[in-house]
Amino acid sequence: MEFSSLEPFILKRKALQSTLALWSFDSDTRAPKKAIENSAKIMGVLSEEYFNLINNKEVIELLDQVETTTDVQKALVKEWKTELNMLCKIPKDEYVEYQSYVVMSQRIWNEAKNKNDYEMFKPYLKKIVETQKKFASYRKVGEESLYDILLNDYEEGFNTEILDEFFNKLKEVIVPMIHKIKNSNVKIDTSFDHLSYDIETQKQVNNELAKYIGFDFDCGIISETEHPYTTHFHNKDVRFTNHFYENYLSSALFSTVHEGGHAIYEMGVSDELTLTPLGEGKSMGMHESQSRFYENMIGRSKGLWNNFYPTLQNAFKEQLGNVSVDDFYLGINHSKPSLIRIESDELTYSLHILIRYELEKQMINGTVDYDKLPEMWDNLYEKYLGVKASNLAEGILQDVHWSGGMLGYFPSYALGSAIAAQIFAHYQKTIDIEHLVEQGQFDVIKQQLKNDIHQYGKMYSTNTLLKNMMGEEFNPNYYITYLVDKYSKIYQL
Ligand code: ZN
């Protein structure tokens, strides 16, 4: 059977997916408050249509029968089958019941967080974990652990064996380093970051920054939400959101470069793939590697700010007039252990993830005592970061992920940072990336990332992409070396 017989379904799938994404972006940014109830019904119908298309008998037969002659066609059939396998191994009634349970669980989590009441959320967390375990067991084929099945959903080919090694290395080097920094004589002043900055001016500067690093305003827009994120409908319509704080200048700046990195990835997917199931970033970890690359390796570099700081300083003469670019650079790179993951610095970030990884692993393996979970969380923070939460919103209840059933997701954040450092090390050798940043040649950097990663969308796994690029699969040592070098210099260790 000709491959072309699958094409109408491919386009319909994309149409449903994009429509859902567009509707959800609109709900987050523009839609009036009272729209939610009716809009949710409409989105429910579209989601069901999507499910029925993936699980369509005619399509399933076609997937087995069509002739695949190119790599793209082969990868496309494989991708569709993977999604089919994920959705259809779970009995439909159990899946539907779980979906509404998750909505409830997230609502209860939010309330529990506000009321500082773990007991309220505990039964929901337990049931979410049990359900995720049950769903994973439906998909189990070999000897892999249930947690490995969940990890694989977010990062293909990565399991506890690889992650244990990664996090152990990280712990060995970074935990002592944090102690050394605490005792270092270098004191960095960050007070400039918390002066009063006019929001409208911040928006203008952030737009310029997005443009400067390569965000294409002909193929994308920027909007506002409580928590910044990126979405896309295809490679010519990619959108990200930001959040502006009057007394926290760097927050929006680094959201711009972070989400800008996600957006540039989606804009770089090839035209051939963009309207197919392969037409988006490969995985959570790979996506996060691109955002972290722009946020940390480029966004927190001296080279970028030597060029861009005058623009920022000019916009905020009163606040930044007496702050030199060197002091600004130190300010945006200072490291201080803190309690909240999303506010943490580049050096300590992955330890926040390590703590979640250790707890998640025990939850899925069934060895955790749910009564003791908040205490375990606090003890790990004290052990690795030397800080202790004074309430649950700073502790076990701070993240939305577990309440939404996202177990196995957290590690991909840390993997992303590590992959970013690996790519950066490769580009230092091959294209002298630091020189390109100093010269402001972001189009060259963007093109290189497109050639190596972006154009392929979901065609290849993370390890295949890395191997094709630099002859080596994932290797956490680059990340550790990068962090040690950078922070030894900053804190003169
Ligand atoms: Zn991100």
Side-chain angles (χ1 to χ4, degrees):
M1 178 114 31
E2 300 257 334
F3 187 82
S4 59
S5 43
L6 198 55
E7 273 159 8
F9 297 103
I10 291 173
L11 195 59
K12 187 172 176 194
R13 175 185 154 132
K14 186 66 190 178
L16 287 167
Q17 219 174 27
S18 296
T19 308
L20 277 161
L22 173 59
W23 208 301
S24 133
F25 180 81
D26 190 71
S27 303
D28 291 341
T29 53
R30 298 293 305 264
K33 205 165 69 188
K34 287 187 178 169
I36 183 75
E37 217 170 295
N38 290 340
S39 299
K41 282 183 192 156
I42 292 168
M43 285 165 78
V45 173
L46 290 168
S47 301
E48 204 175 332
E49 276 295 299
Y50 181 76
F51 183 89
N52 292 338
L53 178 71
I54 297 291
N55 198 10
N56 177 312
K57 211 173 150 222
E58 192 184 345
V59 177
I60 296 172
E61 279 171 18
L62 277 175
L63 289 173
D64 284 328
Q65 288 165 3
V66 289
E67 249 180 274
T68 50
T69 47
T70 66
D71 284 353
V72 171
Q73 291 171 350
K74 287 189 180 94
L76 208 148
V77 168
K78 189 176 164 229
E79 180 62 34
W80 198 305
K81 283 184 172 173
T82 304
E83 194 173 345
L84 184 68
N85 187 44
M86 266 189 83
L87 282 178
C88 305
K89 286 274 166 71
I90 303 165
K92 201 176 171 183
D93 53 336
E94 282 184 37
Y95 185 77
V96 171
E97 195 196 318
Y98 174 69
Q99 292 304 327
S100 45
Y101 192 77
V102 165
V103 174
M104 196 62 188
S105 158
Q106 284 186 314
R107 196 178 297 167
I108 298 291
W109 161 76
N110 203 9
E111 209 182 321
K113 185 178 174 182
N114 290 332
K115 289 184 176 161
N116 199 36
D117 183 355
Y118 171 72
E119 287 304 312
M120 201 178 156
F121 178 55
K122 190 174 74 180
Y124 287 87
L125 177 62
K126 243 174 165 170
K127 185 159 176 194
I128 291 274
V129 172
E130 288 315 311
T131 313
Q132 281 290 336
K133 282 170 73 172
K134 192 165 74 178
F135 287 175
S137 72
Y138 292 145
R139 293 189 280 136
K140 190 173 157 85
V141 279
E143 289 302 302
E144 73 277 34
S145 74
L146 295 179
Y147 191 44
D148 282 345
I149 294 174
L150 296 174
L151 287 169
N152 201 67
D153 289 345
Y154 298 104
E155 201 51 61
E156 189 189 335
F158 284 70
N159 54 28
T160 29
E161 197 188 326
I162 297 169
L163 288 170
D164 281 345
E165 195 196 329
F166 168 50
F167 282 117
N168 281 336
K169 278 187 178 170
L170 208 63
K171 190 157 63 174
E172 259 168 49
V173 180
I174 307 303
V175 173
M177 191 150 183
I178 289 171
H179 286 287
K180 276 196 220 163
I181 288 178
K182 214 174 162 188
N183 300 319
S184 155
N185 292 324
V186 177
K187 298 287 174 256
I188 295 174
D189 184 8
T190 58
S191 58
F192 68 82
D193 205 7
H194 305 288
L195 302 172
S196 168
Y197 291 91
D198 175 63
I199 302 268
E200 282 310 310
T201 316
Q202 281 198 52
K203 284 182 193 171
Q204 285 163 19
V205 176
N206 274 282
N207 276 351
E208 278 183 57
L209 179 60
K211 198 170 159 198
Y212 183 68
I213 62 161
F215 181 83
D216 180 354
F217 280 89
D218 288 333
C219 297
I221 62 167
I222 302 173
S223 203
E224 278 179 72
T225 48
E226 180 62 30
H227 296 290
Y229 73 91
T230 303
T231 188
H232 64 277
F233 315 129
H234 45 72
N235 65 354
K236 305 284 190 296
D237 193 346
V238 182
R239 305 177 181 201
F240 80 77
T241 66
N242 207 336
H243 191 94
F244 299 92
Y245 299 91
E246 192 194 327
N247 301 107
Y248 192 3
L249 174 70
S250 68
S251 174
L253 291 173
F254 288 98
S255 290
T256 293
V257 279
H258 180 97
E259 300 307 329
H262 282 304
I264 287 168
Y265 190 177
E266 292 299 342
M267 288 171 175
V269 171
S270 75
D271 290 338
E272 187 193 1
L273 298 180
T274 192
L275 295 179
T276 77
L278 302 171
E280 60 187 0
K282 173 61 195 170
S283 62
M284 288 309 310
M286 206 63 207
H287 236 299
E288 205 56 20
S289 82
Q290 298 309 288
S291 57
R292 294 282 168 191
F293 187 85
Y294 274 93
E295 178 190 349
N296 292 331
M297 283 77 197
I298 291 179
R300 293 182 202 276
S301 72
K302 204 60 164 292
L304 180 129
W305 291 102
N306 279 340
N307 291 324
F308 197 78
Y309 190 61
T311 306
L312 184 68
Q313 211 176 18
N314 219 13
F316 298 110
K317 287 193 190 87
E318 205 183 300
Q319 299 90 329
L320 297 175
N322 292 321
V323 180
S324 69
V325 67
D326 290 337
D327 288 341
F328 181 79
Y329 170 78
L330 289 175
I332 57 171
N333 282 295
H334 89 292
S335 174
K336 191 170 184 252
S338 64
L339 292 161
I340 308 290
R341 176 184 61 86
I342 57 170
E343 291 166 9
S344 66
D345 59 73
E346 190 183 357
L347 181 68
T348 56
Y349 185 84
S350 292
L351 297 181
H352 290 259
I353 302 302
L354 160 69
I355 291 167
R356 289 152 178 79
Y357 172 67
E358 290 190 356
L359 294 176
E360 228 175 52
K361 204 162 60 168
Q362 294 178 55
M363 284 195 259
I364 303 292
N365 294 342
T367 54
V368 91
D369 178 352
Y370 283 88
D371 294 333
K372 296 221 169 73
L373 208 51
E375 199 185 321
M376 290 165 76
W377 176 287
D378 290 344
N379 290 341
L380 287 171
Y381 264 84
E382 206 158 23
K383 185 172 157 198
Y384 296 142
L385 289 156
V387 291
K388 193 157 192 160
S390 58
N391 60 60
L392 297 166
E394 290 178 339
I396 186 91
L397 294 181
Q398 72 177 262
D399 298 302
V400 65
H401 302 62
W402 289 340
S403 72
M406 292 156 99
L407 291 134
Y409 185 109
F410 280 121
S412 51
Y413 288 125
L415 281 176
S417 299
I419 295 165
Q422 185 168 349
I423 295 168
F424 188 68
H426 174 64
Y427 286 168
Q428 280 177 311
K429 277 181 261 169
T430 51
I431 58 170
D432 195 357
I433 183 148
E434 278 146 317
H435 183 71
L436 291 173
V437 174
E438 271 159 28
Q439 300 291 311
Q441 294 195 47
F442 290 100
D443 50 340
V444 179
I445 297 171
K446 186 165 82 172
Q447 188 59 46
Q448 190 65 46
L449 286 167
K450 180 172 174 152
N451 291 349
D452 290 336
I453 300 165
H454 301 174
Q455 60 163 326
Y456 298 113
K458 291 183 98 162
M459 269 189 75
Y460 302 117
S461 73
T462 295
N463 270 331
T464 306
L465 286 168
L466 291 175
K467 192 147 191 208
N468 289 346
M469 193 190 323
M470 61 187 87
E472 189 182 1
E473 294 190 343
F474 174 67
N475 177 350
N477 292 331
Y478 292 104
Y479 181 44
I480 291 163
T481 308
Y482 162 83
L483 287 175
V484 170
D485 281 356
K486 178 169 178 176
Y487 283 89
S488 298
K489 273 191 202 122
I490 290 174
Y491 284 94
Q492 299 169 15
L493 302 177

